[in-house]
Amino acid sequence: MSEFEVLLSEEQVQARVRELGEAISRDLAGEQVLVIGILKGAFIFMADLVRAMSVPLTVDFMSLSSYGSSTESSGEVRIVKDLEQAVDGKHVLVVEDIIDTGLTLKYLSEILRRRNPRSVRICALLDKPSRRKTEMAADYVGFVIPDHFVVGYGLDFDQRYRNFRDVRILKPSGDGGQEE
Ligand code: IMP
Ligand code: MG
Protein backbone atom coordinates (compact mmCIF):
# COMPACT_ATOMS: atom_id res chain seq x y z
CA MET A 1 0.00 0.00 0.00
CA SER A 2 1.17 3.49 -0.78
CA GLU A 3 0.87 6.08 1.92
CA PHE A 4 -0.10 9.70 1.41
CA GLU A 5 0.33 12.88 3.38
CA VAL A 6 -1.75 15.92 2.42
CA LEU A 7 0.55 18.78 1.45
CA LEU A 8 -2.03 21.23 0.10
CA SER A 9 -5.71 20.99 0.95
CA GLU A 10 -8.45 21.41 -1.61
CA GLU A 11 -9.31 24.79 -0.04
CA GLN A 12 -5.71 26.01 -0.23
CA VAL A 13 -5.43 24.97 -3.86
CA GLN A 14 -8.75 26.54 -4.85
CA ALA A 15 -7.96 29.84 -3.13
CA ARG A 16 -4.55 30.07 -4.75
CA VAL A 17 -5.86 29.19 -8.21
CA ARG A 18 -8.39 32.01 -7.93
CA GLU A 19 -5.57 34.42 -7.03
CA LEU A 20 -3.50 33.26 -9.99
CA GLY A 21 -6.43 33.72 -12.38
CA GLU A 22 -7.00 37.23 -11.09
CA ALA A 23 -3.31 38.17 -11.31
CA ILE A 24 -3.02 36.85 -14.86
CA SER A 25 -6.20 38.67 -15.89
CA ARG A 26 -4.85 41.93 -14.44
CA ASP A 27 -1.53 41.55 -16.29
CA LEU A 28 -3.24 40.71 -19.58
CA ALA A 29 -6.18 43.10 -19.25
CA GLY A 30 -7.66 44.01 -22.61
CA GLU A 31 -5.82 41.21 -24.42
CA GLN A 32 -6.93 37.94 -25.91
CA VAL A 33 -4.97 34.94 -24.59
CA LEU A 34 -4.19 31.48 -25.95
CA VAL A 35 -3.99 29.20 -22.93
CA ILE A 36 -1.92 26.09 -23.60
CA GLY A 37 -2.29 23.16 -21.23
CA ILE A 38 0.45 20.57 -21.02
CA LEU A 39 -1.17 17.15 -20.92
CA LYS A 40 -1.92 15.29 -18.96
CA GLY A 41 -0.78 16.78 -15.66
CA ALA A 42 -2.22 20.27 -16.18
CA PHE A 43 -5.76 19.34 -17.15
CA ILE A 44 -7.44 19.82 -13.79
CA PHE A 45 -5.45 22.91 -12.83
CA MET A 46 -6.15 24.48 -16.21
CA ALA A 47 -9.88 23.78 -15.96
CA ASP A 48 -10.03 25.72 -12.69
CA LEU A 49 -7.56 28.41 -13.79
CA VAL A 50 -9.40 29.42 -16.97
CA ARG A 51 -12.62 29.73 -14.96
CA ALA A 52 -10.79 32.15 -12.64
CA MET A 53 -9.65 34.28 -15.59
CA SER A 54 -11.72 37.18 -16.87
CA VAL A 55 -9.89 37.99 -20.14
CA PRO A 56 -11.12 36.55 -23.45
CA LEU A 57 -9.28 33.33 -24.14
CA THR A 58 -9.06 30.19 -26.20
CA VAL A 59 -7.56 26.90 -25.09
CA ASP A 60 -5.33 24.35 -26.72
CA PHE A 61 -3.25 21.43 -25.51
CA MET A 62 0.14 19.91 -26.07
CA SER A 63 1.42 16.58 -24.98
CA LEU A 64 5.13 16.09 -24.42
CA SER A 65 7.04 13.02 -23.53
CA SER A 66 10.44 13.12 -21.93
CA TYR A 67 12.83 10.29 -22.43
CA GLY A 68 13.71 8.92 -19.04
CA SER A 69 12.16 7.24 -16.05
CA SER A 70 8.64 7.97 -14.88
CA THR A 71 9.80 10.11 -11.98
CA GLU A 72 12.73 11.98 -13.55
CA SER A 73 12.97 13.75 -16.89
CA SER A 74 16.08 13.47 -19.03
CA GLY A 75 15.85 16.86 -20.70
CA GLU A 76 15.17 15.43 -24.11
CA VAL A 77 11.56 16.14 -24.90
CA ARG A 78 9.41 14.96 -27.78
CA ILE A 79 6.12 16.52 -28.91
CA VAL A 80 3.53 13.75 -28.84
CA LYS A 81 0.58 16.01 -29.62
CA ASP A 82 1.06 19.47 -31.05
CA LEU A 83 -1.21 22.53 -30.94
CA GLU A 84 -4.14 22.93 -33.28
CA GLN A 85 -4.06 26.73 -33.14
CA ALA A 86 -1.36 28.98 -34.53
CA VAL A 87 0.74 30.84 -31.99
CA ASP A 88 2.11 33.71 -34.04
CA GLY A 89 1.05 37.16 -32.90
CA LYS A 90 -0.76 35.82 -29.84
CA HIS A 91 -0.30 36.22 -26.12
CA VAL A 92 0.40 32.70 -24.91
CA LEU A 93 -0.02 31.35 -21.40
CA VAL A 94 1.51 27.92 -20.85
CA VAL A 95 -0.10 26.00 -17.99
CA GLU A 96 1.95 23.24 -16.39
CA ASP A 97 1.39 21.12 -13.30
CA ILE A 98 4.86 21.31 -11.77
CA ILE A 99 8.35 22.55 -12.55
CA ASP A 100 10.93 20.10 -11.34
CA THR A 101 14.25 20.08 -13.19
CA GLY A 102 12.87 22.80 -15.49
CA LEU A 103 14.04 20.95 -18.60
CA THR A 104 10.57 20.30 -20.04
CA LEU A 105 9.47 23.93 -19.86
CA LYS A 106 12.79 25.27 -21.05
CA TYR A 107 12.56 23.12 -24.15
CA LEU A 108 8.90 23.95 -24.70
CA SER A 109 9.29 27.70 -24.32
CA GLU A 110 12.11 27.64 -26.89
CA ILE A 111 9.85 25.81 -29.35
CA LEU A 112 7.00 28.26 -28.76
CA ARG A 113 9.17 31.36 -29.08
CA ARG A 114 10.34 30.17 -32.49
CA ARG A 115 6.70 30.32 -33.62
CA ASN A 116 6.64 34.12 -33.08
CA PRO A 117 4.03 34.64 -30.37
CA ARG A 118 3.44 38.16 -29.13
CA SER A 119 4.37 37.02 -25.63
CA VAL A 120 4.90 33.80 -23.69
CA ARG A 121 4.04 33.50 -20.02
CA ILE A 122 4.32 30.38 -17.93
CA CYS A 123 2.05 29.43 -15.06
CA ALA A 124 2.84 26.38 -12.93
CA LEU A 125 0.78 25.17 -10.02
CA LEU A 126 3.82 23.82 -8.19
CA ASP A 127 7.52 24.57 -8.22
CA LYS A 128 10.36 22.47 -6.76
CA PRO A 129 13.25 24.91 -7.21
CA SER A 130 15.73 22.74 -5.31
CA ARG A 131 15.70 20.25 -8.19
CA ARG A 132 16.40 22.70 -11.01
CA LYS A 133 18.93 21.61 -13.65
CA THR A 134 18.51 24.64 -15.89
CA GLU A 135 17.60 28.27 -15.45
CA MET A 136 13.82 28.32 -15.63
CA ALA A 137 11.45 30.54 -13.72
CA ALA A 138 7.71 30.64 -14.25
CA ASP A 139 5.88 33.96 -14.38
CA TYR A 140 3.19 32.61 -12.06
CA VAL A 141 3.65 29.88 -9.45
CA GLY A 142 0.93 28.55 -7.19
CA PHE A 143 3.10 27.01 -4.48
CA VAL A 144 6.81 26.53 -3.99
CA ILE A 145 7.21 23.09 -2.42
CA PRO A 146 10.09 21.07 -0.98
CA ASP A 147 11.60 18.12 -2.82
CA HIS A 148 8.87 15.51 -2.42
CA PHE A 149 7.09 13.47 -5.06
CA VAL A 150 3.50 14.70 -5.07
CA VAL A 151 0.27 13.45 -6.63
CA GLY A 152 -3.28 14.67 -7.03
CA TYR A 153 -5.04 17.64 -8.68
CA GLY A 154 -3.83 16.32 -12.04
CA LEU A 155 -0.44 15.00 -10.97
CA ASP A 156 0.17 11.30 -11.22
CA PHE A 157 2.40 8.48 -10.18
CA ASP A 158 2.31 5.84 -12.89
CA GLN A 159 -0.86 7.52 -14.30
CA ARG A 160 -2.74 7.16 -11.02
CA TYR A 161 -4.08 9.52 -8.35
CA ARG A 162 -4.76 12.43 -10.73
CA ASN A 163 -8.33 12.69 -9.42
CA PHE A 164 -7.45 13.62 -5.82
CA ARG A 165 -8.87 17.05 -5.04
CA ASP A 166 -5.87 17.92 -2.88
CA VAL A 167 -2.11 17.57 -3.41
CA ARG A 168 -0.47 14.78 -1.44
CA ILE A 169 3.05 13.59 -0.86
CA LEU A 170 3.43 10.01 -2.04
CA LYS A 171 5.44 8.01 0.44
CA PRO A 172 6.94 4.67 -0.46
CA SER A 173 5.45 1.94 1.69
CA GLY A 174 7.35 0.63 4.69
CA ASP A 175 8.80 -2.41 2.93
CA GLY A 176 10.32 -0.19 0.26
CA GLY A 177 7.99 -1.38 -2.50
CA GLN A 178 5.49 0.85 -4.23
CA GLU A 179 2.87 -1.69 -5.30
CA GLU A 180 -0.42 -2.17 -3.50
P1 IMP B 1 10.85 18.74 -15.42
O1 IMP B 1 11.27 18.71 -16.86
O2 IMP B 1 11.83 17.96 -14.57
O3 IMP B 1 10.62 20.11 -14.88
O4 IMP B 1 9.56 17.85 -15.38
C1 IMP B 1 8.33 18.28 -15.07
C2 IMP B 1 7.38 17.11 -15.24
O5 IMP B 1 7.80 16.01 -14.43
C3 IMP B 1 6.01 17.49 -14.75
O6 IMP B 1 5.21 17.98 -15.78
C4 IMP B 1 5.50 16.18 -14.20
O7 IMP B 1 4.89 15.43 -15.23
C5 IMP B 1 6.71 15.43 -13.75
N1 IMP B 1 6.92 15.59 -12.28
C6 IMP B 1 7.93 16.20 -11.67
N2 IMP B 1 7.81 16.16 -10.33
C7 IMP B 1 6.64 15.50 -10.10
C8 IMP B 1 5.94 15.13 -8.89
O8 IMP B 1 6.35 15.40 -7.75
N3 IMP B 1 4.77 14.46 -9.06
C9 IMP B 1 4.27 14.14 -10.29
N4 IMP B 1 4.90 14.46 -11.44
C10 IMP B 1 6.08 15.13 -11.35
MG1 MG C 1 3.69 16.56 -16.84
Side-chain angles (χ1 to χ4, degrees):
M1 274 300 263
S2 299
E3 286 181 81
F4 302 103
E5 183 192 316
V6 175
L7 178 67
L8 302 165
S9 70
E10 179 180 358
E11 292 69 27
Q12 278 177 289
V13 171
Q14 291 300 325
R16 186 68 185 124
V17 172
R18 270 196 299 277
E19 288 176 357
L20 289 173
E22 285 161 14
I24 294 166
S25 302
R26 266 197 307 277
D27 294 352
L28 284 161
E31 306 289 352
Q32 161 107 18
V33 188
L34 170 59
V35 183
I36 299 177
I38 308 306
L39 296 172
K40 303 180 207 108
F43 83 112
I44 290 179
F45 173 40
M46 177 159 156
D48 286 339
L49 184 68
V50 293
R51 285 180 288 180
M53 289 172 61
S54 53
V55 289
L57 59 87
T58 57
V59 300
D60 206 341
F61 296 93
M62 271 178 114
S63 176
L64 308 170
S65 117
S66 85
Y67 301 92
S69 72
S70 58
T71 53
E72 185 126 12
S73 70
S74 64
E76 229 187 308
V77 179
R78 189 165 54 93
I79 298 179
V80 176
K81 183 214 171 294
D82 207 336
L83 299 172
E84 290 169 12
Q85 297 181 41
V87 157
D88 62 287
K90 293 183 186 161
H91 291 290
V92 167
L93 178 72
V94 177
V95 180
E96 174 65 307
D97 52 359
I98 184 167
I99 311 180
D100 186 29
T101 64
L103 295 168
T104 305
L105 275 178
K106 173 141 202 208
Y107 175 88
L108 177 66
S109 51
E110 278 163 17
I111 291 179
L112 290 177
R113 275 176 228 281
R114 267 185 252 132
R115 298 180 183 182
N116 301 314
R118 211 159 136 204
S119 67
V120 178
R121 288 175 174 77
I122 291 173
C123 177
L125 177 71
L126 305 173
D127 187 4
K128 287 197 271 198
S130 62
R131 303 242 319 152
R132 209 66 101 246
K133 287 187 182 157
T134 180
E135 222 170 279
M136 165 49 70
D139 301 276
Y140 307 95
V141 170
F143 301 91
V144 175
I145 63 167
D147 180 16
H148 289 123
F149 196 83
V150 292
V151 296
Y153 200 65
L155 291 104
D156 74 303
F157 173 72
D158 211 8
Q159 300 303 328
R160 300 175 60 197
Y161 315 127
R162 294 191 196 273
N163 57 315
F164 294 167
R165 300 167 81 99
D166 46 17
V167 175
R168 304 182 196 175
I169 297 169
L170 177 68
K171 303 180 150 186
S173 56
D175 61 10
Q178 238 152 15
E179 56 283 309
E180 324 286 276

